[in-house]
Amino acid sequence: MTEELVLHPSDDPATQSNYDDIATTHLHLDWTVDFSQSFIRGSVVHSLLAKKNGINQVVFDSSFISIKRIVEVKDEKEIGELKWHLPKRNKSMGSALKVELGRELKKGDNVEVKIEYSTTDECTALGWLTPEQTDSGKYAFLYSQCQAIHCRSLIPCQDTPSVKATYSAVVHSPLPILLSARRTSPPPSAPQPEIDGQLHTYKFEQSIAIPSYLIAIAGGELAFKALGERTGIWAEPGMLERSAWEFQEDAEKIVSGLEELVTPYVWGRYDALVLPASFPYGGMENANLTPALIVGDRSQVDVLGHEASHSWHGNLISCSDWASFWLNEGWTTYTERLLTGKLHGNPASRDFEYIIGEKAMKDDLKRFDKDGLRFGQRLHIPYEKGVDPDDVYSSVAYDKGANFLYCLEKTVGGLEVFNPYHKAFVKKFSGHSISTQDWLDHFWSYWSQFPEKEKLLKEKVDFDAWLNGEGLDLPVKMEYDTSLADASYALAASWDSARSLPREELVKKFSKADIEKFQTNQVIVFLETLAGKDSFEKNQEAIEVMEEVYGFLETKNPEIKLRNFLVSLKAGLYATEAAAFVRTVGRLKYVRPIYRAIFEIEPELAKKTFLESKHLLHPIARTMVARDLGLEK
Ligand code: BES
Ligand code: ZN
């Protein structure tokens, strides 16, 4: 990390901050959390470094923040009030907070700016839950989601992944608090302060520089259980044992498995935090602390593997702007799947993950197949100024990205040849924010050491098609080991061809035994394959019989529920059951496709369900579903 890196200049179109002139190197938060009125108030002190001569202004991103006062600080003392103004709000980027420094800085000068502020009701990063929405029903709950550009509604900051800063925090709260940082006081293993209605103080340190989107907070009745030496789990006390069971087997193996595949884990601890079902994502790689959902059958541990892989791809090497988001998610998905193969001791299970991912990617490519949206089919997304990356969020970055890397691995002759390159890439860019172009430059410089491989890569891989191509398919047809999927394919084919048989014949032909030996993922592939066939609209009876014999409506596993609803809604069935399900969860992966599918067949039911239950969703999910249903705020 000592070698001087020359990176392509970044110009993040989703920020209004002047991070190219002057950038935050550390931020210190002093917060008080008000659960009864749902806001955070306090201050942030930015330590800034001028990158050019003649800088007399700092511009921060902010969104729906109420500013009280801004002062310059030196050696922890306030030395003078600073002038500031907030020009008119940009719809997706928010309000640029312009702070006058009152003098001109020279390149290399430091300045500390303290902003006193509070969040507001319109904050898009924070989800506030009432006691009724928690497991115990006793206390309120708070959680955040800052990726992609929501940190600015929690902290006035330079909200671009190009800027990396360390942070420290002091938080005063009546309920236990966690941040994406090491809790120095009280440490996790010490007794928790009592929940006695008084404010207690929690202190934190994040000593590795991270982009703003990895800053996170959670608060509520949270208890801790260690899983391994550097892994543990936080959850409401009533869920702690269940949650620990879910991850116990795998947490430590995930971290050490990844260390073998990549490089040593540098973050110290890796803890998971169980969030309520309204959390909009399945997981989020917040530094040191990954929110995770539990389903009760350990089938979601690959989410933990995914988020842990971000510790290298995303958190150590970050995309410099959202155009290169695939460097985060594509590399992470590629690595997560390598890990799955390694932990299962079976290379077929690695390929199985690619097979599972294919359906969602194809659906998303189709969703973007309209004039004005095709840029979402690209791996490297050419954003225009001010486009909200949430609008283009899809599985393309994940699956096209992972397939691209897998294709490169196969082209150079397999993992043995590719893994040293993977490690070299991580070593080269750890601690930095990079663009697709930086990745490409290093890629070619690495392979130029191996002229035969370089030649193969140049001849066999169409880089432009992978990175900038549009369309409904990958640039090449990938060949996977289908041994784990074959039984699912066969069962789907069998239902497909039997679809018009009379009920009595169907009942004879199929039975619960068909899927009894299936792992959860094999059920998923069965349903996804079925969803890819012609709709069962004219063969509703077949879907009803499928329900009778397999009972998918009764399953607790949300991944199976999702795929089952997609098959049956397409056939015009079970809209009521699907609507009941989306009232209870908030994960975008489930709510968006299910709402869209209900909307196709019963638009009024979709809208009514959403309007009645939207207060239970996180603000990010609320906006996205409203848009999908044509109910834009
Ligand atoms: N970093 C993402 C979540 C994210 C991406 C939030 C972009 C906001 C903007 C996280 O790592 C993720 O990918 N979550 C997935 C689960 C994963 C197992 C594929 C999800 O939520 O579905
Ligand atoms: Zn991810």
Side-chain angles (χ1 to χ4, degrees):
M1 255 190 257
T2 44
E3 185 190 342
E4 181 68 37
L5 257 191
V6 182
L7 298 171
H8 289 267
S10 80
D11 184 12
D12 181 352
T15 179
Q16 302 186 79
S17 72
N18 63 339
Y19 68 98
D20 234 10
D21 298 339
I22 180 166
T24 301
T25 56
H26 179 83
L27 39 88
H28 178 74
L29 304 163
D30 189 328
W31 281 345
T32 301
V33 183
D34 189 328
F35 283 91
S36 59
Q37 296 189 65
S38 308
F39 71 89
I40 291 178
R41 75 182 142 77
S43 63
V44 52
V45 179
H46 285 272
S47 305
L48 296 137
L49 174 70
K51 295 175 159 181
K52 293 179 182 159
N53 288 331
I55 304 304
N56 58 10
Q57 166 176 266
V58 197
V59 186
F60 297 102
D61 292 299
S62 82
S63 179
F64 301 121
I65 289 243
S66 163
I67 308 281
K68 193 167 147 204
R69 199 169 80 102
I70 303 185
V71 290
E72 185 174 346
V73 178
K74 195 163 186 182
D75 302 327
E76 296 183 14
K77 286 203 192 69
E78 296 185 358
I79 57 169
E81 241 179 268
L82 298 175
K83 284 206 188 112
W84 55 274
H85 68 289
L86 271 179
K88 195 169 165 286
R89 191 188 152 83
N90 169 288
K91 188 169 181 288
S92 52
M93 287 193 291
S95 317
L97 169 61
K98 302 196 168 170
V99 182
E100 306 301 332
L101 295 171
R103 64 177 192 282
E104 290 201 346
L105 300 185
K106 286 203 297 292
K107 184 175 174 177
D109 282 354
N110 293 292
V111 63
E112 289 186 20
V113 173
K114 176 177 177 180
I115 306 171
E116 290 178 10
Y117 73 98
S118 70
T119 64
T120 63
D121 286 350
E122 287 169 290
C123 173
T124 53
L126 297 178
W128 298 92
L129 304 186
T130 59
E132 299 74 48
Q133 288 172 266
T134 65
D135 180 60
S136 73
K138 281 201 257 174
Y139 302 101
F141 200 97
L142 160 69
Y143 66 95
S144 67
Q145 169 59 39
C146 285
Q147 198 179 14
I149 57 167
H150 300 280
C151 189
R152 61 192 68 177
S153 72
L154 175 64
I155 307 168
C157 66
Q158 297 183 311
D159 199 8
T160 163
S162 277
V163 172
K164 288 188 165 191
T166 51
Y167 82 93
S168 51
V170 177
V171 184
H172 315 280
S173 162
L175 293 171
I177 292 292
L178 298 172
L179 300 187
S180 55
R182 194 164 58 90
R183 198 164 91 181
T184 52
S185 170
S189 47
Q192 300 280 310
E194 262 182 55
I195 302 182
D196 53 8
Q198 303 300 309
L199 290 180
H200 296 277
T201 298
Y202 299 83
K203 293 186 178 163
F204 303 85
E205 279 292 334
Q206 178 52 265
S207 54
I208 300 181
I210 56 167
S212 53
Y213 77 84
L214 292 178
I215 296 178
I217 180 168
E221 191 194 6
L222 290 166
F224 178 75
K225 184 163 179 184
L227 295 176
E229 227 167 89
R230 53 188 163 170
T231 51
I233 184 130
W234 291 92
E236 280 190 65
M239 291 171 78
L240 193 58
E241 288 306 319
R242 262 187 292 152
S243 309
W245 178 87
E246 190 102 4
F247 298 128
Q248 207 136 34
E249 269 291 298
D250 300 276
E252 204 66 34
K253 280 191 212 154
I254 286 174
V255 182
S256 50
L258 286 169
E259 287 190 304
E260 281 170 37
L261 287 169
V262 201
T263 54
Y265 183 76
V266 299
W267 301 85
R269 296 205 55 83
Y270 185 70
D271 294 323
L273 161 67
V274 177
L275 282 183
S278 65
F279 186 59
Y281 294 94
M284 173 66 212
E285 66 272 26
N286 296 324
N288 295 89
L289 186 72
T290 277
L293 299 170
I294 56 160
V295 288
D297 62 4
R298 289 189 175 159
S299 64
Q300 288 288 78
V301 288
D302 43 346
V303 175
L304 217 59
H306 176 94
E307 304 314 336
S309 302
H310 274 303
S311 305
W312 291 265
H313 298 293
N315 299 13
L316 275 185
I317 306 177
S318 312
C319 55
S320 56
D321 66 46
W322 302 109
S324 299
F325 176 59
W326 81 274
L327 288 175
N328 287 13
E329 298 299 343
W331 267 105
T332 290
T333 304
Y334 167 84
T335 307
E336 167 208 346
R337 292 175 182 173
L338 267 180
L339 176 74
T340 304
K342 186 180 163 82
L343 294 184
H344 292 200
N346 174 7
S349 54
R350 178 183 182 199
D351 282 21
F352 197 36
E353 302 280 320
Y354 282 86
I355 294 169
I356 296 166
E358 201 168 356
K359 171 79 173 53
M361 176 184 68
K362 293 228 155 158
D363 286 352
D364 282 334
L365 288 171
K366 211 183 277 168
R367 185 158 62 86
F368 290 133
D369 206 36
K370 288 195 195 91
D371 287 346
L373 287 184
R374 285 201 183 82
F375 70 107
Q377 295 173 330
R378 297 183 181 210
L379 205 45
H380 181 85
I381 299 184
Y383 281 106
E384 282 178 22
K385 187 84 188 165
V387 174
D388 183 347
D390 280 355
D391 293 351
V392 199
Y393 176 74
S394 84
S395 63
V396 175
Y398 295 72
D399 275 89
K400 213 186 221 191
N403 274 290
F404 180 28
L405 297 166
Y406 198 7
C407 168
L408 295 173
E409 177 198 304
K410 287 179 190 237
T411 308
V412 295
L415 193 56
E416 257 169 58
V417 187
F418 199 68
N419 190 249
Y421 154 71
H422 183 174
K423 293 185 172 173
F425 166 58
V426 170
K427 286 193 186 126
K428 174 85 181 174
F429 291 117
S430 279
H432 297 278
S433 303
I434 67 165
S435 63
T436 304
Q437 196 55 49
D438 296 318
W439 169 76
L440 266 177
D441 289 353
H442 173 259
F443 184 85
W444 289 120
S445 113
Y446 179 90
W447 292 106
S448 69
Q449 306 170 84
F450 308 97
E452 266 168 58
K453 306 291 178 198
E454 186 188 28
K455 189 159 171 274
L456 275 175
L457 288 162
K458 291 215 156 118
E459 279 170 10
K460 299 234 151 100
V461 184
D462 185 345
F463 281 76
D464 187 48
W466 276 103
L467 290 168
N468 307 311
E470 297 176 353
L472 298 176
D473 295 301
L474 295 177
V476 292
K477 172 131 185 50
M478 299 290 287
E479 301 290 339
Y480 305 120
D481 176 336
T482 61
S483 50
L484 286 168
D486 289 337
S488 312
Y489 291 156
L491 187 60
S494 182
W495 277 95
D496 188 30
S497 57
R499 57 169 69 218
S500 50
L501 294 181
R503 166 177 283 272
E504 317 79 68
E505 305 251 339
L506 286 168
V507 180
K508 261 190 254 151
K509 189 169 163 60
F510 297 102
S511 77
K512 184 93 186 168
D514 305 339
I515 57 164
E516 227 147 44
K517 295 212 177 75
F518 275 14
Q519 307 160 12
T520 301
N521 280 341
Q522 289 173 309
V523 176
I524 288 170
V525 171
F526 159 64
L527 288 166
E528 291 203 332
T529 311
L530 211 52
K533 311 252 181 219
D534 289 340
S535 146
F536 278 68
E537 213 173 353
K538 298 208 177 70
N539 316 99
Q540 287 186 336
E541 202 167 52
I543 299 294
E544 283 163 0
V545 172
M546 192 163 86
E547 179 52 35
E548 261 172 57
V549 289
Y550 302 153
F552 288 140
L553 285 178
E554 300 307 315
T555 175
K556 291 220 162 33
N557 187 300
E559 297 284 323
I560 297 179
K561 273 188 183 299
L562 166 70
R563 275 70 175 205
N564 184 49
F565 281 132
L566 293 183
V567 172
S568 46
L569 290 167
K570 202 167 142 199
L573 287 172
Y574 308 140
T576 315
E577 288 81 354
F581 174 61
V582 288
R583 281 174 192 269
T584 64
V585 291
R587 184 172 175 188
L588 291 165
K589 180 180 177 186
Y590 309 141
V591 290
R592 285 189 86 181
I594 295 179
Y595 263 117
R596 284 194 215 114
I598 303 176
F599 189 70
E600 286 283 311
I601 56 170
E602 289 196 36
E604 289 315 311
L605 175 65
K607 286 194 229 170
K608 178 172 175 284
T609 307
F610 174 70
L611 292 173
E612 284 172 7
S613 60
K614 65 177 186 181
H615 61 284
L616 303 173
L617 291 173
H618 185 279
I620 296 174
R622 217 178 286 154
T623 306
M624 289 194 195
V625 177
R627 213 172 280 158
D628 291 345
L629 302 182
L631 298 166
E632 190 102 32
K633 284 200 280 189

